[in-house]
Amino acid sequence: MDVHLLHLAVRWLHVLAMAVALGGAALVFVLAARARQIGVPAVALLQLAASYEWVFWLAAGTLAMTGIGNLGAFGAGLPSPQTGWGTTLVVKLSVVVLLVMLSLPRTLAVARLAFAAPSHVADVLRTLYAFTSATFALVVAIAIWLAHG
Amino acid sequence: MNGDPPQRLVTWALATFHATLFVVASVLFAYTRGGLGSLLANLNTLVGLGLFAALWATTFLTTQRALEGIDVLGTMDDRAFVRRVFRWGAANGMAFLAVLAVVFLVGSLAAIPAGSGPGFLLFAAFAAPFALVVSAAVGGAVGAVLGVIDLGLVRLARRLSAENN
């Protein structure tokens, strides 16, 4: 297999997974924030959030898998953690660990809320997905810096 | 996959959470210690992707078994939960080792010249029981640590959803 083509495919999959995860979180956040104005019922909002959680974890696993693949393309030429690039990578990976750890309670909270579907569920979802979107946006900003900085 | 939709989502989320956190935290640890570059230099991209996919799959199957009869979203016995993830973590360690062994054996058999003696296979057969014990210990320890982290995050999830019920 052409190694260049493989690395390109891995990067494409990485960017696609990030776009789906960030875009999905932003969509749920916007709908939760405007739920009362546009008349989205709590049950529909929870169904959308639960669907997003399935996709989120698929994207998270794909991002981890392809992220290692992207680092693998550096091989022995991977910059040291003492360089500016290396320090930024450490920050990025630390933010990813934080995002993954705080995403599990979000998923479990959505699954628990699905049993009751309280009328003010939009407020909870707005907070949860605002944090997810903001953290993902931070990871993307760091990733862009790593790729082009 | 068994269970109602929320239970299936919990299994999927916990399994992916465990595999992803374990790999990303390990990469972060190896990178800050300066050992990641040499490790990656010896790892083919396709093999790396395949190994993560294998770990993801074995973690999903063992998480599914570990959560049988446990209501993570409701009330559960914390000690029983940690015991269960320890046991199935050990099973996951052994299952992943089996995948690694198959990849290693196939690769090595393809690389040795035709007509070579069975010494390599004898060594593999001798080392296998020891490797299984080590993989079970490592898998069990990782499972127990992740189980304790899970308990903290489950409590946080209950707080997030209970305040608004």
Side-chain angles (χ1 to χ4, degrees):
Chain A
M1 180 182 274
D2 184 345
V3 176
H4 181 70
L5 195 65
L6 177 66
H7 288 162
L8 198 66
V10 169
R11 282 183 191 173
W12 182 83
L13 198 57
H14 193 74
V15 172
L16 177 70
M18 175 54 92
V20 168
L22 174 58
L27 176 68
V28 181
F29 166 69
V30 169
L31 284 175
R34 295 179 55 88
R36 287 193 192 93
Q37 289 150 290
I38 56 179
V40 181
V43 174
L45 208 51
L46 274 170
Q47 279 176 349
L48 178 72
S51 301
Y52 170 75
E53 294 305 327
W54 279 95
V55 175
F56 169 83
W57 288 106
L58 179 64
T62 305
L63 282 166
M65 182 167 66
T66 53
I68 309 304
N70 283 339
L71 284 178
F74 283 96
L78 190 68
S80 128
Q82 279 78 39
T83 60
W85 191 93
T87 307
T88 310
L89 179 64
V90 170
V91 172
K92 183 193 173 191
L93 292 176
S94 303
V95 177
V96 168
V97 167
L98 178 77
L99 175 64
V100 169
M101 285 195 68
L102 293 178
S103 289
L104 184 67
R106 186 198 63 232
T107 302
L108 298 178
V110 167
R112 272 173 65 84
L113 287 167
F115 287 117
S119 57
H120 47 297
V121 72
D123 297 331
V124 189
L125 295 185
R126 190 182 58 211
T127 308
L128 292 175
Y129 290 97
F131 174 81
T132 305
S133 305
T135 314
F136 253 127
L138 177 62
V139 174
V140 170
I142 299 172
I144 290 170
W145 191 92
L146 284 171
H148 303 289
Chain B
M1 205 189 303
N2 296 322
D4 54 313
Q7 183 64 29
R8 290 205 300 262
L9 174 59
V10 168
T11 305
W12 170 238
L14 268 173
T16 309
F17 169 70
H18 289 163
T20 304
L21 184 64
F22 174 70
V23 168
V24 176
S26 301
V27 165
L28 182 58
F29 180 78
Y31 184 60
T32 52
R33 296 293 169 115
L36 188 64
S38 54
L39 180 71
L40 291 173
N42 296 317
L43 194 67
N44 175 298
T45 302
L46 261 185
V47 172
L49 294 176
L51 287 179
F52 184 88
L55 177 68
W56 200 356
T58 58
T59 306
F60 177 76
L61 293 172
T62 50
T63 303
Q64 200 174 17
R65 294 297 301 272
L67 293 181
E68 270 177 13
I70 291 184
D71 182 12
V72 177
L73 298 175
T75 52
M76 64 174 182
D77 180 347
D78 290 355
R79 285 186 179 187
F81 176 77
V82 173
R83 272 201 302 273
R84 196 77 81 80
V85 291
F86 172 77
R87 194 189 318 150
W88 285 103
N92 193 14
M94 291 191 287
F96 185 63
L97 176 75
V99 174
L100 276 179
V102 169
V103 172
F104 180 69
L105 282 174
V106 169
S108 301
L109 286 174
I112 56 173
S116 295
F120 171 74
L121 285 177
L122 283 174
F123 171 76
F126 175 76
F130 300 101
L132 270 177
V133 170
V134 172
S135 67
V138 171
V142 171
V145 170
L146 288 172
V148 172
I149 293 173
D150 291 346
L151 286 178
L153 296 177
V154 165
R155 289 209 173 100
L156 179 58
R158 284 181 185 152
R159 198 172 279 195
L160 286 170
S161 50
E163 276 177 13
N164 297 278
N165 274 333

mmCIF file of all heavy atoms in Angstrom, chain B residues 17-55:
data_model
loop_
_atom_site.group_PDB
_atom_site.id
_atom_site.type_symbol
_atom_site.label_atom_id
_atom_site.label_comp_id
_atom_site.label_asym_id
_atom_site.label_seq_id
_atom_site.Cartn_x
_atom_site.Cartn_y
_atom_site.Cartn_z
ATOM 1 N N PHE B 17 -14.612 4.817 26.250
ATOM 2 C CA PHE B 17 -13.934 5.661 27.240
ATOM 3 C C PHE B 17 -12.684 4.954 27.772
ATOM 4 O O PHE B 17 -11.601 5.543 27.831
ATOM 5 C CB PHE B 17 -14.912 5.974 28.382
ATOM 6 C CG PHE B 17 -14.279 6.604 29.589
ATOM 7 C CD1 PHE B 17 -13.800 7.899 29.543
ATOM 8 C CD2 PHE B 17 -14.160 5.897 30.780
ATOM 9 C CE1 PHE B 17 -13.209 8.480 30.663
ATOM 10 C CE2 PHE B 17 -13.571 6.470 31.892
ATOM 11 C CZ PHE B 17 -13.088 7.767 31.836
ATOM 12 N N HIS B 18 -12.827 3.682 28.139
ATOM 13 C CA HIS B 18 -11.691 2.933 28.692
ATOM 14 C C HIS B 18 -10.560 2.795 27.666
ATOM 15 O O HIS B 18 -9.404 3.066 27.984
ATOM 16 C CB HIS B 18 -12.140 1.538 29.136
ATOM 17 C CG HIS B 18 -13.004 1.566 30.356
ATOM 18 N ND1 HIS B 18 -13.795 0.512 30.742
ATOM 19 C CD2 HIS B 18 -13.221 2.530 31.287
ATOM 20 C CE1 HIS B 18 -14.438 0.828 31.844
ATOM 21 N NE2 HIS B 18 -14.119 2.044 32.191
ATOM 22 N N ALA B 19 -10.907 2.386 26.452
ATOM 23 C CA ALA B 19 -9.872 2.167 25.427
ATOM 24 C C ALA B 19 -9.181 3.489 25.080
ATOM 25 O O ALA B 19 -7.949 3.561 24.990
ATOM 26 C CB ALA B 19 -10.488 1.541 24.179
ATOM 27 N N THR B 20 -9.982 4.550 24.910
ATOM 28 C CA THR B 20 -9.427 5.843 24.497
ATOM 29 C C THR B 20 -8.569 6.455 25.606
ATOM 30 O O THR B 20 -7.446 6.906 25.352
ATOM 31 C CB THR B 20 -10.579 6.808 24.123
ATOM 32 O OG1 THR B 20 -11.365 6.201 23.115
ATOM 33 C CG2 THR B 20 -10.055 8.128 23.618
ATOM 34 N N LEU B 21 -9.095 6.456 26.823
ATOM 35 C CA LEU B 21 -8.342 7.057 27.934
ATOM 36 C C LEU B 21 -7.031 6.301 28.161
ATOM 37 O O LEU B 21 -5.977 6.920 28.359
ATOM 38 C CB LEU B 21 -9.189 7.047 29.216
ATOM 39 C CG LEU B 21 -8.553 7.736 30.423
ATOM 40 C CD1 LEU B 21 -8.371 9.233 30.168
ATOM 41 C CD2 LEU B 21 -9.398 7.547 31.678
ATOM 42 N N PHE B 22 -7.099 4.971 28.107
ATOM 43 C CA PHE B 22 -5.898 4.166 28.325
ATOM 44 C C PHE B 22 -4.822 4.499 27.272
ATOM 45 O O PHE B 22 -3.656 4.727 27.618
ATOM 46 C CB PHE B 22 -6.247 2.669 28.270
ATOM 47 C CG PHE B 22 -5.061 1.760 28.341
ATOM 48 C CD1 PHE B 22 -4.338 1.635 29.515
ATOM 49 C CD2 PHE B 22 -4.649 1.045 27.230
ATOM 50 C CE1 PHE B 22 -3.217 0.814 29.587
ATOM 51 C CE2 PHE B 22 -3.539 0.227 27.287
ATOM 52 C CZ PHE B 22 -2.828 0.101 28.468
ATOM 53 N N VAL B 23 -5.236 4.565 26.013
ATOM 54 C CA VAL B 23 -4.258 4.792 24.942
ATOM 55 C C VAL B 23 -3.727 6.225 24.978
ATOM 56 O O VAL B 23 -2.508 6.449 24.913
ATOM 57 C CB VAL B 23 -4.882 4.450 23.563
ATOM 58 C CG1 VAL B 23 -4.004 4.949 22.430
ATOM 59 C CG2 VAL B 23 -5.076 2.942 23.442
ATOM 60 N N VAL B 24 -4.619 7.213 25.105
ATOM 61 C CA VAL B 24 -4.163 8.623 25.087
ATOM 62 C C VAL B 24 -3.274 8.905 26.306
ATOM 63 O O VAL B 24 -2.236 9.555 26.191
ATOM 64 C CB VAL B 24 -5.368 9.601 25.018
ATOM 65 C CG1 VAL B 24 -4.884 11.047 25.111
ATOM 66 C CG2 VAL B 24 -6.139 9.405 23.731
ATOM 67 N N ALA B 25 -3.676 8.401 27.484
ATOM 68 C CA ALA B 25 -2.865 8.620 28.692
ATOM 69 C C ALA B 25 -1.510 7.925 28.554
ATOM 70 O O ALA B 25 -0.476 8.479 28.962
ATOM 71 C CB ALA B 25 -3.609 8.115 29.931
ATOM 72 N N SER B 26 -1.481 6.727 27.950
ATOM 73 C CA SER B 26 -0.209 6.017 27.753
ATOM 74 C C SER B 26 0.695 6.782 26.790
ATOM 75 O O SER B 26 1.915 6.882 27.013
ATOM 76 C CB SER B 26 -0.453 4.606 27.198
ATOM 77 O OG SER B 26 -1.259 3.880 28.077
ATOM 78 N N VAL B 27 0.101 7.315 25.709
ATOM 79 C CA VAL B 27 0.886 8.088 24.731
ATOM 80 C C VAL B 27 1.448 9.345 25.399
ATOM 81 O O VAL B 27 2.625 9.679 25.222
ATOM 82 C CB VAL B 27 -0.006 8.461 23.514
ATOM 83 C CG1 VAL B 27 0.649 9.550 22.669
ATOM 84 C CG2 VAL B 27 -0.255 7.229 22.658
ATOM 85 N N LEU B 28 0.622 10.009 26.192
ATOM 86 C CA LEU B 28 1.064 11.226 26.887
ATOM 87 C C LEU B 28 2.221 10.900 27.835
ATOM 88 O O LEU B 28 3.235 11.610 27.875
ATOM 89 C CB LEU B 28 -0.122 11.818 27.664
ATOM 90 C CG LEU B 28 0.115 13.131 28.419
ATOM 91 C CD1 LEU B 28 0.594 14.231 27.477
ATOM 92 C CD2 LEU B 28 -1.169 13.583 29.117
ATOM 93 N N PHE B 29 2.089 9.791 28.567
ATOM 94 C CA PHE B 29 3.131 9.374 29.508
ATOM 95 C C PHE B 29 4.421 9.047 28.753
ATOM 96 O O PHE B 29 5.505 9.523 29.112
ATOM 97 C CB PHE B 29 2.644 8.155 30.303
ATOM 98 C CG PHE B 29 3.639 7.636 31.290
ATOM 99 C CD1 PHE B 29 3.821 8.288 32.508
ATOM 100 C CD2 PHE B 29 4.405 6.516 31.019
ATOM 101 C CE1 PHE B 29 4.758 7.826 33.426
ATOM 102 C CE2 PHE B 29 5.334 6.044 31.936
ATOM 103 C CZ PHE B 29 5.516 6.703 33.137
ATOM 104 N N ALA B 30 4.289 8.243 27.677
ATOM 105 C CA ALA B 30 5.486 7.833 26.913
ATOM 106 C C ALA B 30 6.147 9.044 26.270
ATOM 107 O O ALA B 30 7.382 9.137 26.231
ATOM 108 C CB ALA B 30 5.099 6.806 25.851
ATOM 109 N N TYR B 31 5.341 9.990 25.783
ATOM 110 C CA TYR B 31 5.917 11.164 25.097
ATOM 111 C C TYR B 31 6.685 12.042 26.077
ATOM 112 O O TYR B 31 7.798 12.483 25.776
ATOM 113 C CB TYR B 31 4.803 11.963 24.420
ATOM 114 C CG TYR B 31 5.335 13.137 23.623
ATOM 115 C CD1 TYR B 31 6.218 12.943 22.567
ATOM 116 C CD2 TYR B 31 4.976 14.449 23.954
ATOM 117 C CE1 TYR B 31 6.731 14.015 21.849
ATOM 118 C CE2 TYR B 31 5.479 15.523 23.240
ATOM 119 C CZ TYR B 31 6.358 15.297 22.186
ATOM 120 O OH TYR B 31 6.869 16.364 21.489
ATOM 121 N N THR B 32 6.109 12.291 27.262
ATOM 122 C CA THR B 32 6.805 13.154 28.227
ATOM 123 C C THR B 32 8.069 12.481 28.764
ATOM 124 O O THR B 32 8.984 13.162 29.208
ATOM 125 C CB THR B 32 5.880 13.545 29.405
ATOM 126 O OG1 THR B 32 5.304 12.351 29.947
ATOM 127 C CG2 THR B 32 4.770 14.475 28.968
ATOM 128 N N ARG B 33 8.109 11.134 28.709
ATOM 129 C CA ARG B 33 9.320 10.412 29.131
ATOM 130 C C ARG B 33 10.324 10.271 27.989
ATOM 131 O O ARG B 33 11.389 9.684 28.168
ATOM 132 C CB ARG B 33 8.956 9.010 29.638
ATOM 133 C CG ARG B 33 8.099 9.013 30.886
ATOM 134 C CD ARG B 33 8.894 9.565 32.040
ATOM 135 N NE ARG B 33 8.061 9.837 33.202
ATOM 136 C CZ ARG B 33 8.181 9.204 34.353
ATOM 137 N NH1 ARG B 33 9.067 8.271 34.505
ATOM 138 N NH2 ARG B 33 7.410 9.541 35.367
ATOM 139 N N GLY B 34 9.949 10.728 26.786
ATOM 140 C CA GLY B 34 10.878 10.707 25.654
ATOM 141 C C GLY B 34 10.973 9.377 24.930
ATOM 142 O O GLY B 34 11.863 9.190 24.103
ATOM 143 N N GLY B 35 10.067 8.440 25.205
ATOM 144 C CA GLY B 35 10.185 7.118 24.583
ATOM 145 C C GLY B 35 9.230 6.868 23.430
ATOM 146 O O GLY B 35 9.232 5.780 22.847
ATOM 147 N N LEU B 36 8.425 7.886 23.075
ATOM 148 C CA LEU B 36 7.392 7.643 22.059
ATOM 149 C C LEU B 36 7.972 7.565 20.647
ATOM 150 O O LEU B 36 7.551 6.733 19.848
ATOM 151 C CB LEU B 36 6.318 8.744 22.138
ATOM 152 C CG LEU B 36 5.090 8.526 21.283
ATOM 153 C CD1 LEU B 36 4.325 7.288 21.733
ATOM 154 C CD2 LEU B 36 4.164 9.740 21.331
ATOM 155 N N GLY B 37 8.966 8.442 20.346
ATOM 156 C CA GLY B 37 9.529 8.485 18.993
ATOM 157 C C GLY B 37 10.096 7.140 18.572
ATOM 158 O O GLY B 37 9.798 6.647 17.476
ATOM 159 N N SER B 38 10.904 6.532 19.451
ATOM 160 C CA SER B 38 11.526 5.242 19.100
ATOM 161 C C SER B 38 10.468 4.139 18.983
ATOM 162 O O SER B 38 10.573 3.250 18.147
ATOM 163 C CB SER B 38 12.576 4.858 20.138
ATOM 164 O OG SER B 38 12.002 4.866 21.427
ATOM 165 N N LEU B 39 9.421 4.245 19.831
ATOM 166 C CA LEU B 39 8.343 3.246 19.772
ATOM 167 C C LEU B 39 7.591 3.360 18.442
ATOM 168 O O LEU B 39 7.325 2.356 17.776
ATOM 169 C CB LEU B 39 7.367 3.467 20.944
ATOM 170 C CG LEU B 39 6.186 2.518 21.040
ATOM 171 C CD1 LEU B 39 6.660 1.134 21.468
ATOM 172 C CD2 LEU B 39 5.164 3.031 22.055
ATOM 173 N N LEU B 40 7.286 4.612 18.051
ATOM 174 C CA LEU B 40 6.551 4.826 16.805
ATOM 175 C C LEU B 40 7.380 4.440 15.584
ATOM 176 O O LEU B 40 6.838 3.988 14.579
ATOM 177 C CB LEU B 40 6.117 6.300 16.689
ATOM 178 C CG LEU B 40 5.048 6.777 17.673
ATOM 179 C CD1 LEU B 40 4.833 8.275 17.555
ATOM 180 C CD2 LEU B 40 3.739 6.043 17.439
ATOM 181 N N ALA B 41 8.707 4.625 15.703
ATOM 182 C CA ALA B 41 9.586 4.297 14.570
ATOM 183 C C ALA B 41 9.521 2.808 14.235
ATOM 184 O O ALA B 41 9.720 2.400 13.098
ATOM 185 C CB ALA B 41 11.013 4.702 14.894
ATOM 186 N N ASN B 42 9.219 1.996 15.266
ATOM 187 C CA ASN B 42 9.160 0.542 15.053
ATOM 188 C C ASN B 42 7.751 0.047 14.756
ATOM 189 O O ASN B 42 7.531 -1.156 14.630
ATOM 190 C CB ASN B 42 9.694 -0.183 16.299
ATOM 191 C CG ASN B 42 11.148 0.121 16.539
ATOM 192 O OD1 ASN B 42 11.935 0.143 15.606
ATOM 193 N ND2 ASN B 42 11.505 0.393 17.784
ATOM 194 N N LEU B 43 6.792 0.977 14.715
ATOM 195 C CA LEU B 43 5.396 0.563 14.554
ATOM 196 C C LEU B 43 4.860 1.020 13.192
ATOM 197 O O LEU B 43 4.800 2.208 12.920
ATOM 198 C CB LEU B 43 4.553 1.178 15.686
ATOM 199 C CG LEU B 43 3.161 0.630 15.889
ATOM 200 C CD1 LEU B 43 3.215 -0.808 16.375
ATOM 201 C CD2 LEU B 43 2.406 1.473 16.923
ATOM 202 N N ASN B 44 4.486 0.071 12.383
ATOM 203 C CA ASN B 44 3.857 0.354 11.095
ATOM 204 C C ASN B 44 2.492 1.015 11.329
ATOM 205 O O ASN B 44 1.771 0.626 12.253
ATOM 206 C CB ASN B 44 3.724 -1.008 10.387
ATOM 207 C CG ASN B 44 3.002 -0.942 9.088
ATOM 208 O OD1 ASN B 44 1.842 -0.574 9.038
ATOM 209 N ND2 ASN B 44 3.696 -1.326 8.040
ATOM 210 N N THR B 45 2.137 2.025 10.508
ATOM 211 C CA THR B 45 0.873 2.752 10.717
ATOM 212 C C THR B 45 -0.330 1.813 10.683
ATOM 213 O O THR B 45 -1.217 1.890 11.540
ATOM 214 C CB THR B 45 0.714 3.843 9.632
ATOM 215 O OG1 THR B 45 1.837 4.710 9.697
ATOM 216 C CG2 THR B 45 -0.556 4.659 9.858
ATOM 217 N N LEU B 46 -0.348 0.919 9.696
ATOM 218 C CA LEU B 46 -1.488 -0.012 9.573
ATOM 219 C C LEU B 46 -1.582 -0.928 10.792
ATOM 220 O O LEU B 46 -2.678 -1.188 11.298
ATOM 221 C CB LEU B 46 -1.332 -0.866 8.313
ATOM 222 C CG LEU B 46 -2.117 -0.440 7.078
ATOM 223 C CD1 LEU B 46 -1.935 -1.467 5.969
ATOM 224 C CD2 LEU B 46 -3.598 -0.228 7.376
ATOM 225 N N VAL B 47 -0.413 -1.408 11.268
ATOM 226 C CA VAL B 47 -0.407 -2.284 12.449
ATOM 227 C C VAL B 47 -0.912 -1.511 13.662
ATOM 228 O O VAL B 47 -1.703 -2.017 14.464
ATOM 229 C CB VAL B 47 1.012 -2.853 12.704
ATOM 230 C CG1 VAL B 47 1.072 -3.603 14.025
ATOM 231 C CG2 VAL B 47 1.431 -3.778 11.568
ATOM 232 N N GLY B 48 -0.474 -0.236 13.791
ATOM 233 C CA GLY B 48 -0.914 0.605 14.904
ATOM 234 C C GLY B 48 -2.424 0.787 14.898
ATOM 235 O O GLY B 48 -3.090 0.652 15.938
ATOM 236 N N LEU B 49 -2.977 1.079 13.723
ATOM 237 C CA LEU B 49 -4.432 1.252 13.605
ATOM 238 C C LEU B 49 -5.149 -0.058 13.955
ATOM 239 O O LEU B 49 -6.154 -0.068 14.666
ATOM 240 C CB LEU B 49 -4.818 1.675 12.173
ATOM 241 C CG LEU B 49 -4.339 3.047 11.697
ATOM 242 C CD1 LEU B 49 -4.720 3.266 10.237
ATOM 243 C CD2 LEU B 49 -4.908 4.166 12.541
ATOM 244 N N GLY B 50 -4.585 -1.148 13.459
ATOM 245 C CA GLY B 50 -5.188 -2.465 13.709
ATOM 246 C C GLY B 50 -5.154 -2.831 15.184
ATOM 247 O O GLY B 50 -6.125 -3.375 15.720
ATOM 248 N N LEU B 51 -4.048 -2.506 15.848
ATOM 249 C CA LEU B 51 -3.942 -2.829 17.273
ATOM 250 C C LEU B 51 -4.934 -2.016 18.097
ATOM 251 O O LEU B 51 -5.544 -2.527 19.040
ATOM 252 C CB LEU B 51 -2.508 -2.594 17.775
ATOM 253 C CG LEU B 51 -1.468 -3.608 17.319
ATOM 254 C CD1 LEU B 51 -0.091 -3.245 17.857
ATOM 255 C CD2 LEU B 51 -1.854 -5.024 17.764
ATOM 256 N N PHE B 52 -5.108 -0.734 17.734
ATOM 257 C CA PHE B 52 -6.097 0.071 18.476
ATOM 258 C C PHE B 52 -7.497 -0.500 18.235
ATOM 259 O O PHE B 52 -8.296 -0.621 19.178
ATOM 260 C CB PHE B 52 -6.058 1.549 18.071
ATOM 261 C CG PHE B 52 -7.016 2.380 18.900
ATOM 262 C CD1 PHE B 52 -6.609 2.924 20.108
ATOM 263 C CD2 PHE B 52 -8.330 2.581 18.503
ATOM 264 C CE1 PHE B 52 -7.494 3.648 20.899
ATOM 265 C CE2 PHE B 52 -9.225 3.299 19.283
ATOM 266 C CZ PHE B 52 -8.797 3.837 20.491
ATOM 267 N N ALA B 53 -7.786 -0.842 16.987
ATOM 268 C CA ALA B 53 -9.110 -1.411 16.668
ATOM 269 C C ALA B 53 -9.324 -2.709 17.457
ATOM 270 O O ALA B 53 -10.420 -2.964 17.982
ATOM 271 C CB ALA B 53 -9.228 -1.662 15.170
ATOM 272 N N ALA B 54 -8.268 -3.524 17.577
ATOM 273 C CA ALA B 54 -8.378 -4.789 18.330
ATOM 274 C C ALA B 54 -8.615 -4.517 19.813
ATOM 275 O O ALA B 54 -9.461 -5.155 20.448
ATOM 276 C CB ALA B 54 -7.099 -5.611 18.144
ATOM 277 N N LEU B 55 -7.888 -3.527 20.362
ATOM 278 C CA LEU B 55 -8.068 -3.183 21.780
ATOM 279 C C LEU B 55 -9.484 -2.656 22.022
ATOM 280 O O LEU B 55 -10.135 -3.003 23.012
ATOM 281 C CB LEU B 55 -7.042 -2.120 22.201
ATOM 282 C CG LEU B 55 -7.170 -1.625 23.649
ATOM 283 C CD1 LEU B 55 -6.807 -2.730 24.629
ATOM 284 C CD2 LEU B 55 -6.288 -0.406 23.902
#
